Amino acid sequence: MTANNNSAVIKGLALVSRVNEWICVATRNAAAALLMAMTVIVLTQIVFRYVLNDSLIWTEEVAKTMMVWVAFLVAPWAYRYGANVSIEMFADELPTKLQRLLHLILNLLVVWIIAVFWLESFGMVDRGFTIRAASLPLQVGWFFAVIPFALAVMLLVGLELLVRDLLG
């Protein structure tokens, strides 16, 4: 690779890194806000059920949906910063070059899996729009809408990590 090409790749990586940083922080903060809202909804349901002796029918479905959204919104941040569960016992014992190669192969595999899931997620969302939610006047597709978005962000993060692995 020539010096000009290498410089362009590094500049592109810096741009993607800044975009990923902004998106990952924004989605992580949105997940935190949803987690707080979910807590308020569950506590409201507890008060209505045990204090007022009257259950709200929508709280369980909304709280479960928020939990799923939280998981999908925080996933790109966790992937980017290596906050996911990992087993490194085996990899730590390998020589440095093999560790780097293994890391590259695993990132390629993760990006491929995310890409497949991302492509499949559009059909899932589309099918969700044919189903009405049990307790709300909404189609389930709106609950699933976070999935393609989060997977797209994870793809962008995966590409950043791959380029970083390749540049070494």
Side-chain angles (χ1 to χ4, degrees):
M1 195 183 293
T2 66
N4 287 339
N5 287 344
N6 198 19
S7 176
V9 168
I10 291 172
K11 285 180 182 178
L13 177 61
L15 174 65
V16 170
S17 181
R18 284 191 304 273
V19 168
N20 280 344
E21 174 69 21
W22 185 85
I23 293 173
C24 286
V25 167
T27 57
R28 183 200 63 197
N29 292 345
L34 281 175
L35 193 58
M36 288 187 282
M38 184 178 72
T39 302
V40 168
I41 288 171
V42 170
L43 290 173
T44 302
Q45 172 62 2
I46 290 169
V47 168
F48 267 76
R49 179 176 288 165
Y50 296 109
V51 176
L52 302 176
N53 207 22
D54 182 30
S55 289
L56 300 172
I57 62 168
W58 56 269
T59 56
E60 182 182 354
E61 191 166 30
V62 170
K64 285 193 293 187
T65 299
M66 286 180 161
M67 191 182 324
V68 171
W69 274 60
V70 165
F72 274 99
L73 288 175
V74 83
W77 176 84
Y79 179 34
R80 187 165 193 257
Y81 291 102
N84 296 315
V85 175
S86 64
I87 301 172
E88 298 174 356
M89 242 175 12
F90 172 72
D92 287 346
E93 299 302 318
L94 295 173
T96 305
K97 285 186 179 186
L98 278 177
Q99 284 182 16
R100 289 178 59 200
L101 179 63
L102 180 63
H103 197 261
L104 176 67
I105 291 169
L106 288 174
N107 268 336
L108 278 168
L109 181 62
V110 168
V111 167
W112 174 68
I113 290 168
I114 292 169
V116 170
F117 284 177
W118 180 67
L119 291 171
E120 292 296 322
S121 70
F122 293 103
M124 180 179 172
V125 172
D126 193 43
R127 287 186 301 276
F129 280 112
T130 65
I131 304 167
R132 264 183 55 97
S135 63
L136 298 169
L138 293 171
Q139 288 87 13
V140 175
W142 291 111
F143 299 160
F144 297 159
V146 71
I147 299 170
F149 168 77
L151 291 172
V153 175
M154 287 181 74
L155 270 176
L156 196 58
V157 167
L159 293 176
E160 175 192 354
L161 296 177
L162 279 175
V163 172
R164 286 187 188 283
D165 285 347
L166 289 171
L167 292 177

